Amino acid sequence: MKIVHLKNTQIAVGDPPLLNAAGLHAPYALRIIVELKTDAGIIGLSEIPGSQKIYLALEDLSSLLVGKDVFGLHGIKRLILEKFGTRDNERGVAPWDQRLLVHLFSAIEVACLDCIGKKLKRPIVDLLGGKSREKVPFAAYLFYKYEGAGGDLGFDIDSSKKGWWLARQQKALTPDQIVDQATAMCEEFGFKSIKLKGGALPPNEECNSMLALREAFGEDTPLRLDPNAIWSLPTAIECGKRLEGILEYYEDPVRGQKNMALLAKEVNIPLATNMCTTSFDDLPSSIALASEHIILSDHHFWGGLQASMQLNKICETFGRGFSMHSNSHLGISMAAMTHLGAAVPHLDYALDTHYPWQEDEVIQGGKIPIQEGYVTPPDGPGLGVELDRDQLEKLHQNFLRCGLKERDDEIEMKKVNPEWEFKLQRW
């Protein structure tokens, strides 16, 4: 099957005012929907974070892909490397990954695998070696947040919503409010593990939220805290001592492998990362320093599904835990993530997902169900999902109207607090 056309559509998805170490989520999260059409009439899909930089690179790449075989992924990767070299291939200091090449690799690879699966009438999980599990565990992902729904509603509340879809609009800035948020999310989706995005409030307040969650949910519910590398080493040690026996893992409380390795010697909690070890080049020093116990993969940030399978084997070989990081994704990325989660032989922890925070959807049939904290991989060929073109157009119009081109949480926070500035280390 040869590629005959690549269509890239920028969309904007309603996103509540969630807080993190870099500031505040804008009312819209940006995504790009990729449609790769072949000479067999098959269209493969993928979805990636929607920066203007990535969109322009995809547009630049489109004509070079025409005539390439969707089975020839190594050749396509070489073409991308020759075209872009190492340009814009730094992760950056923000909580989200700003590299170009890995996003391009994953965008094209997932779309090609979707085509191949549709041609062979087999789901992508089978192309990755088949199922290691029938359903994939996911964790509740909590955020400190201001009141509001995101999207056109901005900071308003839509009181016609019920259950979680009302609760997701409500303010959460105290331990009790975080417990209420967790309760609503777990009642809706049945999650058995809970993660809190930290780095937004003073560390002691975030520790108090974790202790309140333990009291509310008991010892059988694994808890995680992710301060996004905004804490100093002494602060991370102090908080870690408070949370020993409470946390399932401690994610990126400090910045860099050396600091993580020092922290690991002081605190008896497994350390996880998607900020200090984020590429295959980082792995030798990670192993040598013992800087973390768990690698949080993300097929967007590690260069695709096949690369993530390779990472899984390395983690197994060197005794590292494996799970997955999340971003503000819709159903195409959720499907890809779930196929990968079903395929990897070595999966120690429930996967992260922002999916409950995104009310919009771009696939036919609405959102992929999360039941009792698990997602079953779509059983159709390829990704097993298809575009809802009416929704795609609606979300594209959101993009045109909202005026956002790149994610910048600092700018959004300054709209609320003009004095606020991003700092590499805040506490």
Side-chain angles (χ1 to χ4, degrees), residues 143-169:
F143 282 82
Y144 292 106
K145 69 180 294 290
Y146 297 135
E147 186 171 270
D152 289 341
L153 289 173
F155 286 85
D156 296 331
I157 288 276
D158 180 357
S159 58
S160 68
K161 303 293 184 182
K162 298 185 184 300
W164 162 247
W165 302 106
L166 176 61
R168 69 187 279 277
Q169 303 176 74

Side-chain angles (χ1 to χ4, degrees), residues 41-258:
I42 294 172
I43 296 176
L45 303 176
S46 66
E47 170 199 339
I48 53 173
S51 81
Q52 184 75 353
K53 176 180 73 175
I54 296 171
Y55 173 76
L56 293 175
L58 281 168
E59 290 289 284
D60 204 16
L61 185 62
S62 296
S63 62
L64 298 179
L65 291 175
V66 173
K68 299 296 184 288
D69 191 330
V70 298
F71 286 86
L73 289 169
H74 294 309
I76 289 173
K77 185 172 183 177
R78 282 197 304 273
L79 184 153
I80 293 172
L81 283 169
E82 290 167 1
K83 173 66 178 175
F84 297 103
T86 57
R87 193 185 86 190
D88 295 328
N89 205 33
E90 295 294 323
R91 188 202 180 282
V93 298
W96 58 93
D97 198 313
Q98 300 174 62
R99 290 174 292 169
L100 177 65
L101 292 181
V102 287
H103 285 89
L104 297 180
F105 295 157
S106 68
I108 303 306
E109 184 226 41
V110 170
C112 285
L113 290 175
D114 192 30
C115 288
I116 293 169
K118 288 172 177 174
K119 177 68 174 179
L120 299 177
K121 297 182 172 54
R122 302 296 292 268
I124 278 181
V125 64
D126 287 354
L127 305 183
L128 300 176
K131 291 180 181 177
S132 295
R133 59 198 57 80
E134 292 297 321
K135 57 185 182 178
V136 181
F138 283 83
Y141 203 157
L142 311 182
F143 282 82
Y144 292 106
K145 69 180 294 290
Y146 297 135
E147 186 171 270
D152 289 341
L153 289 173
F155 286 85
D156 296 331
I157 288 276
D158 180 357
S159 58
S160 68
K161 303 293 184 182
K162 298 185 184 300
W164 162 247
W165 302 106
L166 176 61
R168 69 187 279 277
Q169 303 176 74
Q170 294 169 343
K171 178 173 66 175
L173 295 173
T174 68
D176 286 346
Q177 289 168 342
I178 286 294
V179 168
D180 289 344
Q181 184 186 105
T183 300
M185 188 183 284
C186 290
E187 285 179 353
E188 181 77 25
F189 301 103
F191 293 122
K192 307 295 191 300
S193 303
I194 298 173
K195 171 177 171 175
L196 174 63
K197 174 65 76 178
L201 301 185
N204 280 335
E205 294 183 33
E206 297 185 351
C207 289
N208 289 340
S209 290
M210 300 312 301
L211 294 170
L213 287 167
R214 167 50 62 91
E215 183 176 354
F217 285 86
E219 295 184 358
D220 293 334
T221 300
L223 303 177
R224 313 164 183 179
L225 175 63
D226 174 15
N228 272 143
I230 204 76
W231 292 354
S232 68
L233 180 59
T235 297
I237 292 172
E238 180 183 349
C239 290
K241 293 293 187 184
R242 284 190 68 190
L243 297 175
E244 286 181 345
I246 302 296
L247 295 185
E248 177 186 37
Y249 64 68
Y250 202 13
E251 180 181 341
D252 287 315
V254 293
R255 190 172 298 276
Q257 290 180 341
K258 290 183 179 179

